Amino acid sequence: MRVLLPLARGLARLAPGVGEPLLGALLLRCLTPGWALLRPGPPARLLAWAEEAVAVLDRAHPRRPGHLARALALHAFALDAMERHEEACAVAAVADAVPGALPSPAQTAYLLHVRARALLGSGRAEEALEAARSCVEAYRRGPARVGRDRSLGSLPSALRTYALVLGVLGHTEQSVLVYEECAGLLRSMSLRESSRVLLVTSRVFVELVGGLRALGRYEEALALGPEARESLGGGVAFAYPGTIPLLRVRLLVDLAGCHRATGEREAARTTAEEAVAAARRPSGAAGLTLALQGLAEALAEVDAPDEELNTLRELADLYADQSCDPLLATTLDALARCHARTGAHAEAVAATERGVTAYRRAAALDAVHEPELGRLLHNLSIRQDDAGDPESAVTSAREALTLTRRLAESDWETYHPLTARRLHVLGQALQSTDDLRGTVSCYEEAEAVLQEHRDRPDTEAELATIRDVLADALLAKAVAGDLGEKVTDLRALLDLAHRADADYVHARCFRAFDLVRSDEVARAWESATGVPYPGFAYPFMTDRGRGANPAAR
């Protein structure tokens, strides 16, 4: 049909009344080829044909409104394929309102499908959900498609889009159910029927593996793996050379993740290496970052730090070349963790500083990255302290705390509990600079913050940790302080022992009273409290299995 287009264009110029309808019909045939195994044309060429078909048929509209509506639907599809989603939505609306058009059920379902895809691409997932659901219903109740309608989508492709929208909205369990229904339908198709949905088949099996992994159904995902791999071979790889390699990489990364989750670490590493090898081929280069990320995770599981470092360095270089600052910063943070595990603290600090710089650039463009900037500053402080640079650690921790406090002003429930962690790290850094007063102040504030959020999961564990380090800091301060500070710190420790009722805290309280014991301290204690200085042998445990109260004797 394509070889006839120049002749039809010439005829349309010489005799518009005859040539234009003929050219429009020919363009529609090129856009919806009857041969199922014909390799699809490039999206840019399909878009050009669709635009030409709309222009030609628009002039012949009174005589062929149905052809114009079909051309507009195909135009919307081509725009969506070029990721011009908003334009696709607008054209789909025009196609739905062509006066006098009487679309077939297949055309109606196809237009709903195009609209659902375009809405999803433009970020309007809730609207896309309704369109996708209506599309599936239209395909279910429509009669068997004949003629050119066979090229206008299918129930499996509609189900795949519906499942995709559900997944984007976070309804993963429902999404997997739809994918499983679609997979069952694809398995029951004849060879001739399945030849029209080769790409849909590949996508459905790959995305179903990913959905099963997201639900923690790892064994089912691994069992589906061979069938998913098979769907990526044969004619579909030839017909879609720009799509199938990336799907293969995605599948291998998901399978590697499932192997990790089931404890098959060597299988995970082998599969992740296979994913990287597939991504290094020219046609699969778009998936290299995804594959390298999966390989780095697999190498961390098998404790191969040298190979993990090399993988993360390559991944960081790729993100730097792509100017993708958030992903670059996350990768650099992982690189820093790997350096820290090997004891290379200076290298860990350097990598984290690069990550902080990347997140500063990202946050300057979009404030949504500020929480991650705070997290990375928090990590930087820890790594600077480990590297023997407590002054820099204090500076980084203070910035992380200030940023988190500001975020808490607009979202108290999310970020106020995080200030306790920031205060903990600042306290550690201050303790490394021998600022015991600042350390105690940070830990006391962190304890107060956590007590406000005791109904949250894991808060009790954090609270116990903070009280332990607060007890250590009060003990150190009591030993190092002057007479007035000793009594103040001892009283604070005693109050903490009452609140905590934990063996470690009680032991630190007993040790503090024992270490600073002197006649001078005893007199100061009695003057401040009105009771004698405690003189007791501390029983670490009571019959109830918890620490005894030092003030009880």
Side-chain angles (χ1 to χ4, degrees), residues 304-317:
D306 292 338
E307 293 175 63
E308 185 185 357
L309 281 170
N310 291 334
T311 301
L312 289 170
R313 287 192 187 102
E314 183 179 359
L315 185 58
D317 289 342

mmCIF file with all atom_site columns, all heavy atoms in Angstrom, residues 304-317:
data_model
loop_
_atom_site.group_PDB
_atom_site.id
_atom_site.type_symbol
_atom_site.label_atom_id
_atom_site.label_alt_id
_atom_site.label_comp_id
_atom_site.label_asym_id
_atom_site.label_entity_id
_atom_site.label_seq_id
_atom_site.pdbx_PDB_ins_code
_atom_site.Cartn_x
_atom_site.Cartn_y
_atom_site.Cartn_z
_atom_site.occupancy
_atom_site.B_iso_or_equiv
_atom_site.pdbx_formal_charge
_atom_site.auth_seq_id
_atom_site.auth_comp_id
_atom_site.auth_asym_id
_atom_site.auth_atom_id
_atom_site.pdbx_PDB_model_num
ATOM 1   N N   . ALA A 1 304 ? 30.216 -9.036  47.911 1.00 0.00 ? 304 ALA A N   1
ATOM 2   C CA  . ALA A 1 304 ? 31.304 -8.879  46.938 1.00 0.00 ? 304 ALA A CA  1
ATOM 3   C C   . ALA A 1 304 ? 31.575 -7.379  46.803 1.00 0.00 ? 304 ALA A C   1
ATOM 4   O O   . ALA A 1 304 ? 31.170 -6.753  45.818 1.00 0.00 ? 304 ALA A O   1
ATOM 5   C CB  . ALA A 1 304 ? 30.916 -9.497  45.597 1.00 0.00 ? 304 ALA A CB  1
ATOM 6   N N   . PRO A 1 305 ? 32.241 -6.771  47.797 1.00 0.00 ? 305 PRO A N   1
ATOM 7   C CA  . PRO A 1 305 ? 32.351 -5.306  47.839 1.00 0.00 ? 305 PRO A CA  1
ATOM 8   C C   . PRO A 1 305 ? 33.090 -4.700  46.650 1.00 0.00 ? 305 PRO A C   1
ATOM 9   O O   . PRO A 1 305 ? 32.709 -3.628  46.173 1.00 0.00 ? 305 PRO A O   1
ATOM 10  C CB  . PRO A 1 305 ? 33.085 -5.032  49.155 1.00 0.00 ? 305 PRO A CB  1
ATOM 11  C CG  . PRO A 1 305 ? 33.758 -6.324  49.497 1.00 0.00 ? 305 PRO A CG  1
ATOM 12  C CD  . PRO A 1 305 ? 32.887 -7.400  48.951 1.00 0.00 ? 305 PRO A CD  1
ATOM 13  N N   . ASP A 1 306 ? 34.140 -5.358  46.173 1.00 0.00 ? 306 ASP A N   1
ATOM 14  C CA  . ASP A 1 306 ? 34.897 -4.787  45.062 1.00 0.00 ? 306 ASP A CA  1
ATOM 15  C C   . ASP A 1 306 ? 34.043 -4.697  43.797 1.00 0.00 ? 306 ASP A C   1
ATOM 16  O O   . ASP A 1 306 ? 34.022 -3.670  43.114 1.00 0.00 ? 306 ASP A O   1
ATOM 17  C CB  . ASP A 1 306 ? 36.156 -5.617  44.794 1.00 0.00 ? 306 ASP A CB  1
ATOM 18  C CG  . ASP A 1 306 ? 37.166 -5.511  45.927 1.00 0.00 ? 306 ASP A CG  1
ATOM 19  O OD1 . ASP A 1 306 ? 37.096 -4.522  46.676 1.00 0.00 ? 306 ASP A OD1 1
ATOM 20  O OD2 . ASP A 1 306 ? 38.002 -6.417  46.060 1.00 0.00 ? 306 ASP A OD2 1
ATOM 21  N N   . GLU A 1 307 ? 33.330 -5.786  43.491 1.00 0.00 ? 307 GLU A N   1
ATOM 22  C CA  . GLU A 1 307 ? 32.471 -5.763  42.308 1.00 0.00 ? 307 GLU A CA  1
ATOM 23  C C   . GLU A 1 307 ? 31.297 -4.812  42.503 1.00 0.00 ? 307 GLU A C   1
ATOM 24  O O   . GLU A 1 307 ? 30.867 -4.139  41.553 1.00 0.00 ? 307 GLU A O   1
ATOM 25  C CB  . GLU A 1 307 ? 31.955 -7.186  42.027 1.00 0.00 ? 307 GLU A CB  1
ATOM 26  C CG  . GLU A 1 307 ? 33.052 -8.155  41.612 1.00 0.00 ? 307 GLU A CG  1
ATOM 27  C CD  . GLU A 1 307 ? 32.514 -9.559  41.469 1.00 0.00 ? 307 GLU A CD  1
ATOM 28  O OE1 . GLU A 1 307 ? 31.650 -9.773  40.597 1.00 0.00 ? 307 GLU A OE1 1
ATOM 29  O OE2 . GLU A 1 307 ? 32.956 -10.455 42.213 1.00 0.00 ? 307 GLU A OE2 1
ATOM 30  N N   . GLU A 1 308 ? 30.793 -4.750  43.727 1.00 0.00 ? 308 GLU A N   1
ATOM 31  C CA  . GLU A 1 308 ? 29.688 -3.821  44.001 1.00 0.00 ? 308 GLU A CA  1
ATOM 32  C C   . GLU A 1 308 ? 30.143 -2.377  43.802 1.00 0.00 ? 308 GLU A C   1
ATOM 33  O O   . GLU A 1 308 ? 29.420 -1.556  43.226 1.00 0.00 ? 308 GLU A O   1
ATOM 34  C CB  . GLU A 1 308 ? 29.177 -4.027  45.422 1.00 0.00 ? 308 GLU A CB  1
ATOM 35  C CG  . GLU A 1 308 ? 27.953 -3.172  45.744 1.00 0.00 ? 308 GLU A CG  1
ATOM 36  C CD  . GLU A 1 308 ? 27.515 -3.288  47.196 1.00 0.00 ? 308 GLU A CD  1
ATOM 37  O OE1 . GLU A 1 308 ? 28.124 -4.090  47.954 1.00 0.00 ? 308 GLU A OE1 1
ATOM 38  O OE2 . GLU A 1 308 ? 26.580 -2.577  47.570 1.00 0.00 ? 308 GLU A OE2 1
ATOM 39  N N   . LEU A 1 309 ? 31.355 -2.071  44.273 1.00 0.00 ? 309 LEU A N   1
ATOM 40  C CA  . LEU A 1 309 ? 31.881 -0.709  44.102 1.00 0.00 ? 309 LEU A CA  1
ATOM 41  C C   . LEU A 1 309 ? 32.001 -0.361  42.621 1.00 0.00 ? 309 LEU A C   1
ATOM 42  O O   . LEU A 1 309 ? 31.612 0.734   42.200 1.00 0.00 ? 309 LEU A O   1
ATOM 43  C CB  . LEU A 1 309 ? 33.247 -0.585  44.786 1.00 0.00 ? 309 LEU A CB  1
ATOM 44  C CG  . LEU A 1 309 ? 33.238 -0.408  46.309 1.00 0.00 ? 309 LEU A CG  1
ATOM 45  C CD1 . LEU A 1 309 ? 34.642 -0.537  46.861 1.00 0.00 ? 309 LEU A CD1 1
ATOM 46  C CD2 . LEU A 1 309 ? 32.652 0.953   46.676 1.00 0.00 ? 309 LEU A CD2 1
ATOM 47  N N   . ASN A 1 310 ? 32.542 -1.274  41.826 1.00 0.00 ? 310 ASN A N   1
ATOM 48  C CA  . ASN A 1 310 ? 32.693 -1.011  40.394 1.00 0.00 ? 310 ASN A CA  1
ATOM 49  C C   . ASN A 1 310 ? 31.334 -0.804  39.727 1.00 0.00 ? 310 ASN A C   1
ATOM 50  O O   . ASN A 1 310 ? 31.173 0.085   38.872 1.00 0.00 ? 310 ASN A O   1
ATOM 51  C CB  . ASN A 1 310 ? 33.429 -2.173  39.725 1.00 0.00 ? 310 ASN A CB  1
ATOM 52  C CG  . ASN A 1 310 ? 34.885 -2.248  40.140 1.00 0.00 ? 310 ASN A CG  1
ATOM 53  O OD1 . ASN A 1 310 ? 35.489 -1.236  40.523 1.00 0.00 ? 310 ASN A OD1 1
ATOM 54  N ND2 . ASN A 1 310 ? 35.466 -3.435  40.102 1.00 0.00 ? 310 ASN A ND2 1
ATOM 55  N N   . THR A 1 311 ? 30.345 -1.609  40.124 1.00 0.00 ? 311 THR A N   1
ATOM 56  C CA  . THR A 1 311 ? 29.006 -1.490  39.547 1.00 0.00 ? 311 THR A CA  1
ATOM 57  C C   . THR A 1 311 ? 28.383 -0.152  39.909 1.00 0.00 ? 311 THR A C   1
ATOM 58  O O   . THR A 1 311 ? 27.795 0.534   39.059 1.00 0.00 ? 311 THR A O   1
ATOM 59  C CB  . THR A 1 311 ? 28.117 -2.646  40.041 1.00 0.00 ? 311 THR A CB  1
ATOM 60  O OG1 . THR A 1 311 ? 28.711 -3.894  39.657 1.00 0.00 ? 311 THR A OG1 1
ATOM 61  C CG2 . THR A 1 311 ? 26.726 -2.552  39.455 1.00 0.00 ? 311 THR A CG2 1
ATOM 62  N N   . LEU A 1 312 ? 28.498 0.237   41.179 1.00 0.00 ? 312 LEU A N   1
ATOM 63  C CA  . LEU A 1 312 ? 27.911 1.501   41.615 1.00 0.00 ? 312 LEU A CA  1
ATOM 64  C C   . LEU A 1 312 ? 28.618 2.696   40.978 1.00 0.00 ? 312 LEU A C   1
ATOM 65  O O   . LEU A 1 312 ? 27.977 3.701   40.664 1.00 0.00 ? 312 LEU A O   1
ATOM 66  C CB  . LEU A 1 312 ? 27.965 1.599   43.138 1.00 0.00 ? 312 LEU A CB  1
ATOM 67  C CG  . LEU A 1 312 ? 27.003 0.674   43.891 1.00 0.00 ? 312 LEU A CG  1
ATOM 68  C CD1 . LEU A 1 312 ? 27.321 0.667   45.386 1.00 0.00 ? 312 LEU A CD1 1
ATOM 69  C CD2 . LEU A 1 312 ? 25.550 1.108   43.667 1.00 0.00 ? 312 LEU A CD2 1
ATOM 70  N N   . ARG A 1 313 ? 29.925 2.600   40.797 1.00 0.00 ? 313 ARG A N   1
ATOM 71  C CA  . ARG A 1 313 ? 30.640 3.689   40.123 1.00 0.00 ? 313 ARG A CA  1
ATOM 72  C C   . ARG A 1 313 ? 30.138 3.860   38.691 1.00 0.00 ? 313 ARG A C   1
ATOM 73  O O   . ARG A 1 313 ? 29.917 4.997   38.226 1.00 0.00 ? 313 ARG A O   1
ATOM 74  C CB  . ARG A 1 313 ? 32.141 3.409   40.113 1.00 0.00 ? 313 ARG A CB  1
ATOM 75  C CG  . ARG A 1 313 ? 32.833 3.586   41.460 1.00 0.00 ? 313 ARG A CG  1
ATOM 76  C CD  . ARG A 1 313 ? 34.344 3.569   41.299 1.00 0.00 ? 313 ARG A CD  1
ATOM 77  N NE  . ARG A 1 313 ? 35.036 3.567   42.579 1.00 0.00 ? 313 ARG A NE  1
ATOM 78  C CZ  . ARG A 1 313 ? 35.587 2.502   43.145 1.00 0.00 ? 313 ARG A CZ  1
ATOM 79  N NH1 . ARG A 1 313 ? 35.544 1.328   42.516 1.00 0.00 ? 313 ARG A NH1 1
ATOM 80  N NH2 . ARG A 1 313 ? 36.181 2.583   44.305 1.00 0.00 ? 313 ARG A NH2 1
ATOM 81  N N   . GLU A 1 314 ? 29.973 2.741   37.974 1.00 0.00 ? 314 GLU A N   1
ATOM 82  C CA  . GLU A 1 314 ? 29.466 2.826   36.604 1.00 0.00 ? 314 GLU A CA  1
ATOM 83  C C   . GLU A 1 314 ? 28.058 3.395   36.578 1.00 0.00 ? 314 GLU A C   1
ATOM 84  O O   . GLU A 1 314 ? 27.723 4.229   35.721 1.00 0.00 ? 314 GLU A O   1
ATOM 85  C CB  . GLU A 1 314 ? 29.490 1.444   35.953 1.00 0.00 ? 314 GLU A CB  1
ATOM 86  C CG  . GLU A 1 314 ? 29.034 1.470   34.486 1.00 0.00 ? 314 GLU A CG  1
ATOM 87  C CD  . GLU A 1 314 ? 29.071 0.109   33.823 1.00 0.00 ? 314 GLU A CD  1
ATOM 88  O OE1 . GLU A 1 314 ? 29.460 -0.874  34.473 1.00 0.00 ? 314 GLU A OE1 1
ATOM 89  O OE2 . GLU A 1 314 ? 28.705 0.032   32.632 1.00 0.00 ? 314 GLU A OE2 1
ATOM 90  N N   . LEU A 1 315 ? 27.249 2.971   37.528 1.00 0.00 ? 315 LEU A N   1
ATOM 91  C CA  . LEU A 1 315 ? 25.877 3.472   37.596 1.00 0.00 ? 315 LEU A CA  1
ATOM 92  C C   . LEU A 1 315 ? 25.859 4.973   37.887 1.00 0.00 ? 315 LEU A C   1
ATOM 93  O O   . LEU A 1 315 ? 25.099 5.725   37.273 1.00 0.00 ? 315 LEU A O   1
ATOM 94  C CB  . LEU A 1 315 ? 25.113 2.709   38.684 1.00 0.00 ? 315 LEU A CB  1
ATOM 95  C CG  . LEU A 1 315 ? 23.619 2.999   38.833 1.00 0.00 ? 315 LEU A CG  1
ATOM 96  C CD1 . LEU A 1 315 ? 22.877 2.733   37.537 1.00 0.00 ? 315 LEU A CD1 1
ATOM 97  C CD2 . LEU A 1 315 ? 23.033 2.164   39.971 1.00 0.00 ? 315 LEU A CD2 1
ATOM 98  N N   . ALA A 1 316 ? 26.717 5.412   38.798 1.00 0.00 ? 316 ALA A N   1
ATOM 99  C CA  . ALA A 1 316 ? 26.793 6.841   39.112 1.00 0.00 ? 316 ALA A CA  1
ATOM 100 C C   . ALA A 1 316 ? 27.247 7.650   37.897 1.00 0.00 ? 316 ALA A C   1
ATOM 101 O O   . ALA A 1 316 ? 26.725 8.743   37.632 1.00 0.00 ? 316 ALA A O   1
ATOM 102 C CB  . ALA A 1 316 ? 27.738 7.076   40.289 1.00 0.00 ? 316 ALA A CB  1
ATOM 103 N N   . ASP A 1 317 ? 28.191 7.117   37.148 1.00 0.00 ? 317 ASP A N   1
ATOM 104 C CA  . ASP A 1 317 ? 28.654 7.810   35.940 1.00 0.00 ? 317 ASP A CA  1
ATOM 105 C C   . ASP A 1 317 ? 27.523 7.944   34.913 1.00 0.00 ? 317 ASP A C   1
ATOM 106 O O   . ASP A 1 317 ? 27.383 8.983   34.257 1.00 0.00 ? 317 ASP A O   1
ATOM 107 C CB  . ASP A 1 317 ? 29.830 7.055   35.318 1.00 0.00 ? 317 ASP A CB  1
ATOM 108 C CG  . ASP A 1 317 ? 31.095 7.160   36.148 1.00 0.00 ? 317 ASP A CG  1
ATOM 109 O OD1 . ASP A 1 317 ? 31.167 8.066   36.999 1.00 0.00 ? 317 ASP A OD1 1
ATOM 110 O OD2 . ASP A 1 317 ? 32.003 6.323   35.959 1.00 0.00 ? 317 ASP A OD2 1
#
